[in-house]
Amino acid sequence: MRRVIEVWFYIGAMLTAYGLMLSAAGVYQWVHPPPTVLADKHATFWIGLFLLAVGMVYVVAYWPRPGIAGPHGSKAGRA
């Protein structure tokens, strides 16, 4: 039986991965601030958390479930 995996699941996984990387870089920059004007705003950390949250929402919403109708009405596994 073929399983259909929505493209949105992969997009969520990518957003989650990017969010993890940016959050880690943001934590490093929080401890060792770069010599930029807005370093005290910690934009890298906050954008990383935002991407992590949005990515996790997509991963959970589009997690492949066998036999359950997808968001477009097609059953998983049907071609």
Side-chain angles (χ1 to χ4, degrees):
M1 180 178 201
R2 269 179 43 190
R3 291 176 52 175
V4 175
I5 300 176
E6 296 276 342
V7 70
W8 296 109
F9 173 75
Y10 291 111
I11 291 172
M14 286 183 2
L15 288 173
T16 302
Y18 290 148
L20 284 172
M21 288 186 281
L22 284 173
S23 295
V27 168
Y28 178 79
Q29 288 179 356
W30 204 310
V31 176
H32 305 286
T36 58
V37 177
L38 296 175
D40 61 330
K41 303 298 182 207
H42 310 290
T44 306
F45 178 74
W46 296 115
I47 293 296
L49 282 185
F50 175 75
L51 287 178
L52 184 64
V54 170
M56 289 305 296
V57 167
Y58 274 91
V59 166
V60 169
Y62 291 99
W63 190 268
R65 294 173 184 91
I68 297 177
H72 302 293
S74 63
K75 285 199 126 327
R78 191 185 289 175

